[in-house]
Every structure is written in structure tokens, then in C-alpha cells.
Amino acid sequence: MENIKSYVQQHKDRFINELIELLKIPSVSADTAYSQDVIDTAEAVKESLSKAGCDYVETCDTPGYPIIYGEKIIDPNLPTVLVYGHYDVQPPDPLELWTSPPFEPVIKTTDIHPEGAIFARGACDDKGQMYMHVKALELMVQSNTLPCNVKFMIEGEEEVGSASLAWFVERNQEKLKNDVILISDTGMISNQQPSITTGLRGLSYVEVEVTGPNRDLHSGLYGGAVANPINILAKMIASLHDENNHITIPGFYDKVEELSAEERAEMAKAPFSLEKYKNALNIADVYGEKGYVTNERNSIRPTLDVNGIWGGYTGEGAKTVIASKAFAKISMRLVPNQEWEEITELFTKHFTSIAPAGVTVKVTPHHGGQGYVTPIDSIGYQAANKAYTETFGVPAIPVRSGGSIPIVALFEKELKSKTILMGFGLDSDAIHSPNEHFGIFNYLKGIETIPLFYKYFVELSK
Ligand code: BES
Ligand code: MN
Ligand code: MN
């Protein structure tokens, strides 16, 4: 532990500068304008893995962006840790809300990060958290303390649904064989209270299109006489929740697992301040499903949210028009046991059925994935908990997250191994938002904690 700390102290400036270089490449997977940057980032990751000590690295071509694979096998009889992460990032817009450009990383202090945080798109999600693993490998190789085999699989399409990764995993089961999968792509409660993510929500993401008249119309000449697709879409969307904020799609809750009173009481023990939560978001009150508290609403309960809505005239000034079409992108966060394909079908059937005559509705599924829960009595969980306990001085608390990493359920199905979600980000790090950042404290703590996970995982596996 002291050796780990001193290695990190000695090399921390370089660790920070290397991450900053990686953050400068705008690897936005959703936008083809950045495709060369995404590919360049993959190559940068590959190089960093070989420099850190992998014996073998490979750019694996896929139908989409490449997957970087790396390994260091020290003894086939020892356990193997498979590290997964992603080098792609979310689009940076709206650009005008960034206090410094998203791909020009700078270190600034915040109330929560008095020792500084790196501000850049991808700083926390997931370049910063992925790179902790690369530096942890360097540390273990340089100090001769790598206690087992390690494989890396770093993809470039996580933010757009991981389609190529699913393709890759199905075709490379032998290559990816492992004893535990380790991911840092989630968060923790606070810098004083670490937590381990034991659940992720599933996802069904769809786009809807409502079509009315065959062309845009004068809103005076035709207004009142034909269905306005934007009015109709707004009404249809509003009807998807009832007065208790329950989702109205028939069958939506059929497979939802109800937690016992004991499990809910256990969840309520995690430190949480509603006042601080409201203040941080500048809202007068929270909002959500009746009968559940905030920490339940955003983790153990399924949800439906509009992510974007458009149509008609949105330019400067006013134009009197009834648009021919209206659109929305809708995500449904799901809980374990809900099948995402089934939910997509239920949504499509219901949404089409509530459309009045006078419009037609098209639903296009985008992507989806299953939720995940993992037990806390596994060797992997215990190793992670021991590692956090040692570096933070307090044990980690198990927490179910509201976010999704759809590929985790697929890993379990295809590779038959458990995933341990060792996240070091904070909810306030603004992932997917303007001014995303990652605390220097969190970055360095991650690099210190990961080698201890390896150590305890090997010890507990004996
Ligand atoms: N790293 C996030 C997921 C996450 C963040 C989980 C924080 C738990 C805590 C990941 O990159 C992500 O954004 N996933 C997407 C889903 C994907 C299919 C686009 C999400 O959750 O919206
Ligand atoms: Mn991520
Ligand atoms: Mn993300």
C-alpha cells in the first residue's frame, strides 16, 4: 500500500498529463464528423496499453469502430481479470454552456474538488476512469506486483449502444475468457464514502414520428380543422404517465421486481440529503412516482423520459405554421427481469393505439439492453470492498445505479462471469452535460485502489 501511494505520488503529474492528451481527441461516436478522431483515439489507447506493459495488443476491426484488446498473461494457472472500458464520448453540445472548450482540458477547482478537477468531455465518462486501469497496470508492472493475468477490452461505441462489442464478444469467447470483469464506468456516493455499484438499469430507446397533413400548413387557414402533429404528440406523451407518475403502457410493470421492505430499508441507509440534492440542481422540489423516494425512483424503478422533441418552426421570430410532422426520442430505463425487446414492443403497440385518426405514427427502435444486479457475497465484490476500505478508510456501501451499461448483462450471458463495477466518479461530475469533469483526487485514488483489487481478488480466489 505504501509503495502504491509513493509510486502514484511520484508519477501523478505525468498521469494527469497523459490523460489530458487523450481527452484532447474528440472521440464522439454519435457524430460521423468525428469518425477519424474516434479511430485516432483507439490507436492512442492501444499505444498506452503497450507502454503500460501489455505483452500483446491488437486493434480488432468490427463492423463499427475498432475494439482495442490488450493482455499480459503471466501464468495460465493464475486468475484472469478482464478490464472493460470505452474510449468514445458523448457529443459536447450545447457548446455555449461550457466554461472552457470541451476538448481543451483544463484543471479547475470546485467546492467538491478543492484539489482540482480536469474539465473536458470524457474526463469522467469514461476516458478518465478507463485510463486509471492503464496506469494501475503500469504501476503493477513497474513494481513487480501484478499478481495475475490481465486482459483489456476497450470499445468505441458504448455511448451509441455497443452494437459492435456484442458482435465481438459473441465471436471471441475463448480470447476473452476470464475470472472476473472489472469496470470503472459508474460513480460512488462521495469522496468520503465510497460505494460499489451492484445494479444497473436496462434501457429501451425509441424514436417516434407523428405525421398529419402531407405538407406544412398555414396555421390560420387550417388551424382547428386538422390534427396538429405537435399538439397530438404532446398529448400522447403526456398520457404516458398518470396522476401518480405511473407509466400507463399496459403490461409495462408486469415483470418488475418489487423489493422487500427489508431491502428498501437497507437502501435507505445510504447517506443522502434531499436538501443538498435539490440545491445542487436548483429545483424547488423533486418529482416522480408516488410511493417511492428519490433514491428508489432513480434506481429500482423503471422510468420513461423524453430525451428530445422537435418539429415545426423553431427559428428566430414567429412563423404561423402547422407542421406536417413531429418527432421525439424516448428512453425507458428498465429494472432487472424486464426484457427490453418486450418493453419496446409494448411501447410500440400502445403508442400506435393511442394515436387519433388524422395522424399516423411510426416508432423506430434505436437500441436497448438488459438491467443487471450482482450479489455482494462474491469474491469480486469482497475484493473490491477490501480495496476501497484500505484506500478510503471506510468500507464501501452497495448501491444500485440508475444508469445503464447494457453490455454487462451480455458479458454474464456470453462469458459467464460476474462484473464488478468499481466507479470513482461523482454524480456532480456532470457526465453527458456541459462542463463534465473528473476530480484529480478521484483519478489518483482509482489508480491506488485498482491494484489492491487485483491483490485481494487473487488472495480470495486461492
Ligand atoms: N458510464 C455510463 C453509465 C453510468 C454512469 C452508469 C453513471 C452508472 C453511473 C455510460 O457511458 C452511459 O452513459 N450509458 C448510457 C447507455 C448507453 C446505451 C447509451 C446511459 O446510461 O444513458
Ligand atoms: Mn460510460
Ligand atoms: Mn456515458
Side-chain angles (χ1 to χ4, degrees), residues 86 125 158-159 185-186 203 333 367 401 403-404 406 431-432:
H86 61 95
D125 183 13
E158 197 278 341
E159 299 293 7
D185 193 22
T186 52
L203 182 68
R333 297 285 169 170
H367 55 72
S401 171
S404 308
I431 63 171
H432 294 208

Side-chain angles (χ1 to χ4, degrees), residues 345-407:
E345 254 171 56
L346 290 176
F347 174 90
T348 307
K349 211 168 127 207
H350 177 67
F351 204 69
T352 317
S353 79
I354 59 174
V359 299
T360 53
V361 168
K362 194 167 110 193
V363 178
T364 311
H366 268 272
H367 55 72
Q370 294 299 115
Y372 185 72
V373 264
T374 188
I376 63 170
D377 56 7
S378 69
I379 290 175
Y381 186 91
Q382 287 173 13
N385 194 18
K386 285 182 87 151
Y388 278 107
T389 308
E390 198 163 321
T391 50
F392 284 83
V394 285
I397 295 178
V399 170
R400 285 215 211 177
S401 171
S404 308
I405 310 176
I407 207 70

